[in-house]
């Protein structure tokens, strides 16, 4: 991609009413555009990042047997009445609207109900189980406050996987497996070391659910971290009983602010009972399907990473979710243009993702933009350096600067 083709521009200022650092930086760098509070457009650079985040989650969900699908955003009222969650007092984040005919519909805030109902068409016998459908979808929630940029949107990307198992044993085994998959996801995002599997409130079918909480001062949640065991307890369930359950002493815990980046939940037969989702087992007996739900928030993770990995100059993307690996800067006359063009083609040929600043603007602006956008490596081609047959190579995360020959550069980037 050439910067001259990028219609978005960087800016010194974020929208005046934007208070969250992640959204300020992402707006200034041209990754997102604010439509209204909690509602953001993903611009071309931002779209690449959210897609990379989603792809990492997708690979790990596929690895545990997930089958990707895509449910509808428009929801029928009667589907949700079956579980009682159409009621605004029960589900307080609904966006509801009406069809031309007058019948009410809602914009999906989550998908337990429509999916449980749908699975009735496909689950009949023990041979149809287990099943692990999942999706990435924009969820709609009328959140009371939405001042945290991408971290709390009124529409946002969610990965939601649902497990349909024969019994609790089969469920428990999958619950452990996907918990491990979540840990892999967060380490691939570079936040594994500050993310804790956290005991949170459960439902009628298990005492606890688990949240994955990433330490951050801007977090809305308070958790109590046991560093040695790499687990934490959400303040909502923090009491003597939980401490006893987990065999933990108060003194071993440290209070921290954190952001929930995902959660896993044992639903049991709550929804299968509501929708009469049953299967016939080997002995011919009819049994309710045992369910679980597993969420991850790609939008929130993008905001959190922007917030965590940034400095006074701008964003600092981890390499595997950066929109491009290399920011190529061309400075000077004919010769450097020719040489930068060539290097650009060569990097592309080697599948190295490169954003080529071919604009006729001051070098200072090119450098500043590369830093604001947070591209991991900057390579500069200038007339002066070409005389010495070297490129300048700068690492965004630590500012380390080197002069590299053509060969050394390709070595570093491959
Ligand atoms: P929270 O307590 O933060 O509101 P939640 O319990 O409502 O989260 P879930 O309904 O389980 O969250 O959604 C699954 C995941 O989706 C969450 O772990 C989080 O990462 C993400 N998420 C939830 N609400 C939002 C939101 N408003 N904006 C962005 N991401 C969200
Ligand atoms: Mg919520």
């Amino acid at each position: 991609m050439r910067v001259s083709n990028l219609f978005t521009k960087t800016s010194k200022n974020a929208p005046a009413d934007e208070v969250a650092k992640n959204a300020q930086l992402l707006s200034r760098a041209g990754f997102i555009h604010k439509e209204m509070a909690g509602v953001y457009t993903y611009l071309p650079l931002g779209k690449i990042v959210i897609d990379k985040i989603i792809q990492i989650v997708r690979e790990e969900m596929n690895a545990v047997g997930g089958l990707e699908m895509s449910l509808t955003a428009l929801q029928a009222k009667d589907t949700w009445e079956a579980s009682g969650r159409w009621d605004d007092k029960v589900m307080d984040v609904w966006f509801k609207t009406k069809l031309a005919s007058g019948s009410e519909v809602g914009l999906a805030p989550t998908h337990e109900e429509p999916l449980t109902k749908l699975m009735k068409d496909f689950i009949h016998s023990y041979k149809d189980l287990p099943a692990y459908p999942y999706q990435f979808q924009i969820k709609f929630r009328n959140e009371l406050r939405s001042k945290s940029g991408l971290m709390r949107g009124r529409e946002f990307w969610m990965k939601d996987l649902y497990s349909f198992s024969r019994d609790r044993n089969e469920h428990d085994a999958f619950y452990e497996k996907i918990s491990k998959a979540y840990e892999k996801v967060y380490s691939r995002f570079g936040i594994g070391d500050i993310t804790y599997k956290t005991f949170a409130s459960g439902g009628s079918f298990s005492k606890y659910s688990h949240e994955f909480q990433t330490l951050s001062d801007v977090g809305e949640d308070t958790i109590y971290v046991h560093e040695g065991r790499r687990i934490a307890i959400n303040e909502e369930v923090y009491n003597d009983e939980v401490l006893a359950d987990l065999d933990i002493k108060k003194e071993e815990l440290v209070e921290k602010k954190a952001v929930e980046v995902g959660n896993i939940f044992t639903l049991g037969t709550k929804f299968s009972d509501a929708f009469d989702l049953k299967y016939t087992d080997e002995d011919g007996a009819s049994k309710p399907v045992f369910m679980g739900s597993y969420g991850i928030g790609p939008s929130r993770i993008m905001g959190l990473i922007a917030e965590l990995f940034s400095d006074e100059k701008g964003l600092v993307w981890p390499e595997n979710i950066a929109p491009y690996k290399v920011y190529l800067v061309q400075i000077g006359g004919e010769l450097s243009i020719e040489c930068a063009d060539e290097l650009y083609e060569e990097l592309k040929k080697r599948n190295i993702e490169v954003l080529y600043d071919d604009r006729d603007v001051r070098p200072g602006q090119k450098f500043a933009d590369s830093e604001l956008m947070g591209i991991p490596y900057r390579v500069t081609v200038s007339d002066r350096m070409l005389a010495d047959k070297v490129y300048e190579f700068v690492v965004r995360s630590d500012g380390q600067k080197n002069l590299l020959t053509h060969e050394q550069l390709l070595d570093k980037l491959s």
Side-chain angles (χ1 to χ4, degrees), residues 141 143 150-153 156 158 260-263 295 297 300:
R141 292 187 184 178
E143 302 276 5
L150 288 190
M151 300 205 296
R152 185 169 294 286
F156 59 93
M158 192 198 286
E260 183 195 314
V261 290
N263 62 29
R300 181 176 289 178

Side-chain angles (χ1 to χ4, degrees), residues 20-89:
K21 180 168 107 182
N22 68 86
Q24 288 174 345
L25 282 171
L26 290 166
S27 297
R28 288 184 45 215
F31 285 62
I32 60 171
H33 183 264
K34 185 176 191 175
E35 305 308 322
M36 57 183 115
V39 180
Y40 296 91
T41 293
Y42 291 83
L43 296 168
L45 293 174
K47 171 73 173 143
I48 300 175
V49 174
I50 195 78
D51 282 350
K52 287 193 171 183
I53 291 174
I54 285 173
Q55 182 57 25
I56 285 174
V57 178
R58 175 181 286 128
E59 285 168 17
E60 298 303 337
M61 293 305 104
N62 290 348
V64 294
L67 290 183
E68 188 171 348
M69 59 188 290
S70 186
L71 289 144
T72 67
L74 277 183
Q75 293 294 314
K77 176 181 176 180
D78 59 347
T79 302
W80 290 78
E81 279 178 337
S83 68
R85 289 210 289 181
W86 181 257
D87 187 339
D88 292 314
K89 290 193 283 295

